[in-house]
Amino acid sequence: MRVLRRRQQPHLWRRLDLARLLMQLRPATPADAPVIRHIARAAYTQYIAAIGREPAPMVADFEGQIADGSVHVAEGDGRVTGFIVFFGQQDTMMLENVAVDPAFAGAGIGKALIDLCENAARAAGKASVTLYTNVAMTANQSLYPHLGYEETHRQTDGAFQRVYYRKSLDRSDQ
């Protein structure tokens, strides 16, 4: 994987910086479903070979999740650039899915969406955020601990081998 440096491709970094500045987070609407599905496919296709099938986010019922109010999008300049699916469960907020259009990877969109979930959890009085990722998605297994998530367990759910994480929330932790 090639790491981009600001001096190597300054035009790209200006675009990424601009994406971060212009980003708005909002609840998804039914009209967003096709682009959300497109982003999910673009973000998760790379894992099909490692998992042996389409990852669960590629076949999710986004229309139903949008109707439930579980989906939020990041939008910049009128374009949806990422999305997150989360909902309350007892004392925790379940972060079910987060994906960013690969064209905007590295612009802070995923982090902003995860922050939205964590802030919604605090506002709802939840003690934590929980999530899982597939064991084949190794990049996530280094990302989530970096964001303060701790691995709680691993288990097989149907055809998927998953790693579960939890982040305890301090209401003052912003």
Side-chain angles (χ1 to χ4, degrees):
M1 182 168 143
R2 191 172 68 131
V3 176
L4 297 176
R5 306 262 189 254
R6 283 185 187 264
R7 69 180 182 278
Q8 291 173 321
Q9 295 188 350
H11 64 284
L12 178 60
W13 285 101
R14 281 194 297 273
R15 189 180 89 198
L16 294 177
D17 290 341
L18 185 61
R20 188 177 312 126
L21 291 172
L22 298 177
M23 179 177 40
Q24 295 181 335
L25 305 178
R26 63 168 175 80
T29 67
D32 295 319
V35 72
I36 290 169
R37 188 166 307 287
H38 172 77
I39 290 170
R41 294 200 77 67
Y44 291 104
T45 294
Q46 63 182 318
Y47 298 112
I48 294 174
I51 295 172
R53 64 184 309 159
E54 289 185 331
M58 291 179 72
V59 296
D61 176 14
F62 292 115
E63 292 79 6
Q65 292 172 327
I66 290 168
D68 291 344
S70 301
V71 185
H72 289 74
V73 297
E75 184 176 56
D77 197 26
R79 177 179 175 186
V80 173
T81 56
F83 71 91
I84 190 165
V85 179
F86 62 86
F87 49 87
Q89 286 186 329
Q90 299 164 350
D91 72 335
T92 192
M93 187 68 76
M94 178 66 184
L95 191 168
E96 185 168 286
N97 189 356
V98 60
V100 174
D101 182 328
F104 292 91
I109 295 167
K111 174 75 168 87
L113 288 164
I114 292 170
D115 287 347
L116 173 70
C117 173
E118 291 174 3
N119 289 332
R122 286 183 191 92
K126 304 294 185 188
S128 64
V129 174
T130 56
L131 62 87
Y132 57 83
T133 189
N134 194 290
V135 296
M137 297 179 184
T138 55
N140 293 347
Q141 294 175 51
S142 61
L143 170 69
Y144 292 126
H146 178 73
L147 297 176
Y149 288 80
E150 296 179 1
E151 183 177 332
T152 60
H153 64 285
R154 294 175 180 233
Q155 74 181 48
T156 301
D157 294 324
F160 300 106
Q161 295 179 345
R162 294 182 170 151
V163 182
Y164 285 77
Y165 292 90
R166 178 181 179 102
K167 181 176 182 176
S168 295
L169 299 176
D170 176 353
R171 294 187 57 82
S172 65
D173 178 29
Q174 299 288 334

